[in-house]
Amino acid sequence: MRSTMQDAPLTVGRIVRYATSVHSAGEVATFDGEGCRRISYGELGKRSARLANVLRSLGIRGDERVGSFLWNNTEHVEAYAAVPSMGAVLHTLNIRLFPEQLVYITNHAADQVVICDGSLIGLLAPVLDQMKTVRHVLVTPGGDGSALEGMGADIHDYEELMAGASEDFDFHPGLIDDERDAAAMCYTSGTTGNPKGVAYSHRSIYLHSMQGMSAEGFNLSQGDKVLAVVPMFHAMAWGLPYAAMMCGADQLMPDRFLQAEPMARLIATERPDVAGAVPTVWGALLAHLDANPVDVSCLRDVVVGGSACPPSMMKGFEERHSVRLIHAWGMTELSPIGSVGRAPVGLSPEETWARRISQGRLPCAVEGRLVDDDGAIMPNDGEAVGELEVRGPWVAASYYHNPDMPDDLGEEKFRDGWLRTGDVGTLTPDGFLTLTDRAKDVIKSGGEWISSVDLENTIMGHPAVAEAAVIGIPDPKWDERPLAAVVLRPEANVSFSELRDYLGDKVAKWQLPENWVFVAEVPKTSVGKFDKKVLRARHAAGELDVTTF
């Protein structure tokens, strides 16, 4: 029996039309370091129509790719709205990739047009002539586009083209042949080998946006103001811009002002309700607020993802600044919501805290399972440890133009309709995920596994420690042993012996690191995660001054 329901396509254009009409009073505000420039959602609709007409005039007719080389700002939101809605594909270019990786993903995606932030011309100029498919570059205010001349692409002033374009563009459903067509794409950060492309469908973005609004997601609603610190080139800013448009929430964009001091001023002045960023951003902000208190208690929920959030950071924000951090987990391949750490009602304080410091509960649309090294399915009992595999309507089934590309361990990334995440952990019967490590970061010592994440979080609980990264290094007796690389807080002073004593009653004795090194900073990837492969390489090259007990 077939249903009697209409088959209305779920498209980005539907989100944009709704936001710019029903929620036309909503606002996008972009920080300039002092104040904010603002446009309403109604104005966003008009400027998105102008941008669509500009792109049509430059030859974008079908599903050609349009790259965005932009900070989180109004122009980026305009691209989010216009490009998918007109039937083209938005490719958000990671401005922090190595030049050769940036060239690779632009050519691999066959970008035809790139919208470049005026302040980022210096990053684009050295590689533009290697981007073989790019025919046009649109430069937004704030830089001199003449530096890009003579490199194989026509250079245009973004605002000049926008001023001459019509505000009449019909983002009608017929522009999209199928809701499963690509609407946008992001590439993984390429920790080993070339980055891998993930093409999001209109349908997956629409459903993911609904999850973002839900109470078990980011809990967004009309009247909220959302601060998207997570870059718009990183898994579509975790879907925050589209979820905000869908419900009419205001959007607050930090542009390039991501340091702790301007971020604190922005929050204190603009009073956002919800924010999202990786732990390194919030760790820097917490240290700044502890030394320079301002009122940031307006933040109802601060979503933290990208890597494990130290429980000490969660407690620090809550106890000293009345801000609740919400732990979440996801991947570029998951659009990225995989789980959000909201505890069920009716639990004791201890049980509630245990749920909050986990990676959270998988939502209804995302199925998860644990498998062992042989691919056997492990029980979801909160104790059995295995690699997490997931599937669902916003989970990638393959990579763009390379469906069987192996993962960082040289193994196939997709198996029997499931995505192999490379994350190792446990699942409880009620769906809460606790990740103990990345498969490639687990320390295998004497036949037992040591979680580098658990050690890092425990070390970072010491008041003198700002950051800590733990890697496994070769050991003739135990195969591997942990090495702790520690960044101290300004003016702090602590010895390795004191740190070991601090860990003494918090981790098993055999897991205690006997190898320690102080570093000025922990190397980080283009999206702010600890880059442990750099630490491993530095250790192998003898560049670390390691103290061994």
Side-chain angles (χ1 to χ4, degrees):
M1 177 180 177
R2 300 284 290 176
S3 78
T4 60
M5 295 297 100
Q6 297 179 11
D7 189 12
L10 307 179
T11 65
V12 172
R14 185 182 293 272
I15 298 174
V16 172
R17 291 194 304 273
Y18 190 74
T20 57
S21 57
V22 172
H23 294 303
S24 61
E27 180 182 82
V28 179
T30 297
F31 189 47
D32 64 8
E34 296 296 333
C36 288
R37 52 188 176 98
R38 309 171 190 273
I39 66 169
S40 68
Y41 278 166
E43 293 169 316
L44 175 67
K46 296 176 182 178
R47 286 185 60 85
S48 299
R50 288 180 182 270
L51 179 55
N53 281 314
V54 165
L55 294 172
R56 280 280 191 264
S57 73
L58 298 178
I60 302 299
R61 291 285 182 269
D63 66 352
E64 292 94 349
R65 268 65 74 199
V66 176
S68 59
F69 199 63
L70 299 160
W71 299 103
N72 287 21
N73 54 28
T74 302
E75 290 77 16
H76 217 156
V77 178
E78 291 167 1
Y80 263 53
V83 177
S85 299
M86 66 183 287
V89 180
L90 177 66
H91 176 199
T92 56
L93 295 165
N94 185 337
I95 66 177
R96 299 193 181 110
L97 285 180
F98 292 121
E100 59 271 19
Q101 292 180 322
L102 181 60
V103 170
Y104 171 82
I105 67 173
T106 305
N107 289 335
H108 189 260
D111 294 342
Q112 303 291 305
V113 176
V114 171
I115 304 172
C116 178
D117 195 285
S119 68
L120 297 174
I121 289 172
L123 293 180
L124 186 63
V127 295
L128 179 57
D129 62 348
Q130 301 172 53
M131 297 175 172
K132 303 305 181 183
T133 61
V134 175
R135 298 180 290 111
H136 300 278
V137 177
L138 281 59
V139 179
T140 70
D144 182 4
S146 63
L148 301 173
E149 297 286 354
M151 296 184 183
D154 294 334
I155 311 303
H156 310 271
D157 183 287
Y158 183 87
E159 288 299 335
E160 283 185 8
L161 290 184
M162 292 283 280
S166 170
E167 293 180 352
D168 183 17
F169 192 100
D170 185 8
F171 293 118
H172 61 86
L175 291 170
I176 313 301
D177 292 332
D178 189 301
E179 64 178 13
R180 292 168 178 81
D181 287 345
M185 65 189 309
C186 290
Y187 280 70
T188 64
S189 52
T191 54
T192 59
N194 286 318
K196 300 175 278 282
V198 178
Y200 307 117
S201 68
H202 286 266
R203 178 176 183 268
S204 71
I205 290 176
Y206 194 99
L207 294 173
H208 187 269
S209 300
M210 295 180 71
Q211 181 66 34
M213 293 192 311
S214 74
E216 289 205 340
F218 300 143
N219 196 26
L220 301 184
S221 62
Q222 186 181 14
D224 283 340
K225 181 180 290 188
V226 183
L227 171 60
V229 184
V230 56
M232 295 174 75
F233 56 72
H234 182 199
M236 308 301 289
W238 299 350
L240 287 168
Y242 287 128
M245 282 190 248
M246 183 176 272
C247 68
D250 292 344
Q251 299 187 54
L252 180 59
M253 294 294 169
D255 201 79
R256 75 207 73 172
F257 303 99
L258 305 175
Q259 303 77 21
E261 189 277 330
M263 188 69 64
R265 279 194 290 112
L266 177 61
I267 295 170
T269 302
E270 291 291 324
R271 315 296 291 169
D273 305 278
V274 179
V278 297
T280 49
V281 170
W282 298 124
L285 181 61
L286 178 60
H288 175 81
L289 292 174
D290 286 345
N292 307 275
V294 297
D295 181 12
V296 295
S297 61
C298 55
L299 288 167
R300 180 184 73 234
D301 287 338
V302 169
V303 181
V304 187
S307 57
C309 178
S312 58
M313 185 189 302
M314 298 176 71
K315 289 182 177 179
F317 266 106
E318 198 153 335
E319 294 172 357
R320 300 195 292 275
H321 303 286
S322 302
V323 173
R324 180 174 60 174
L325 268 58
I326 306 294
H327 213 184
W329 168 82
M331 302 171 66
T332 301
E333 293 90 336
L334 272 80
S335 305
I337 295 177
S339 61
V340 179
R342 298 187 185 277
V345 298
L347 299 182
S348 69
E350 294 78 13
E351 292 171 322
T352 297
W353 180 246
R355 294 297 192 276
R356 287 188 56 198
I357 63 174
S358 75
Q359 273 61 47
R361 178 146 55 188
L362 303 180
C364 178
V366 177
E367 296 179 73
R369 70 181 187 185
L370 302 174
V371 299
D372 65 14
D373 290 342
D374 298 321
I377 299 175
M378 309 290 286
N380 295 355
D381 58 6
E383 296 182 1
V385 177
E387 181 187 356
L388 176 67
E389 298 185 344
V390 293
R391 66 183 180 185
W394 57 75
V395 180
S398 66
Y399 291 120
Y400 176 66
H401 277 186
N402 212 334
D404 298 320
M405 182 179 286
D407 65 13
D408 291 340
L409 300 176
E411 300 171 340
E412 298 304 320
K413 190 72 172 178
F414 305 93
R415 176 168 57 188
D416 301 328
W418 294 78
L419 168 72
R420 303 182 65 181
T421 67
D423 284 317
V424 174
T426 64
L427 277 169
T428 64
D430 59 346
F432 276 83
L433 169 69
T434 297
L435 295 179
T436 55
D437 228 324
R438 292 287 292 168
K440 61 186 177 182
D441 293 332
V442 168
I443 301 167
K444 298 176 182 178
S445 183
E448 301 289 344
W449 284 7
I450 300 175
S451 167
S452 66
V453 172
D454 286 348
L455 282 177
E456 288 162 359
N457 285 341
T458 307
I459 295 169
M460 285 189 281
H462 192 285
V465 176
E467 291 181 339
V470 176
I471 60 172
I473 61 173
D475 185 88
K477 181 178 180 180
W478 304 108
D479 187 29
E480 284 187 326
R481 290 299 297 162
L483 164 64
V486 177
V487 180
L488 295 181
R489 296 186 183 278
E491 311 302 326
N493 185 25
V494 67
S495 69
F496 295 136
S497 295
E498 290 171 319
L499 290 175
R500 274 177 58 88
D501 290 344
Y502 173 78
L503 296 181
D505 61 351
K506 298 177 175 62
V507 302
K509 184 176 180 180
W510 66 273
Q511 295 181 358
L512 281 174
E514 53 271 281
N515 306 290
W516 296 79
V517 62
F518 287 129
V519 293
E521 63 177 345
V522 175
K524 297 179 180 63
T525 68
S526 63
V527 293
K529 300 179 184 180
F530 289 168
D531 197 340
K532 296 185 181 182
K533 74 177 186 301
V534 174
L535 277 178
R536 294 188 191 101
R538 290 180 61 190
H539 175 265
E543 297 174 1
L544 300 178
D545 185 16
V546 178
T547 296
T548 301
F549 288 87

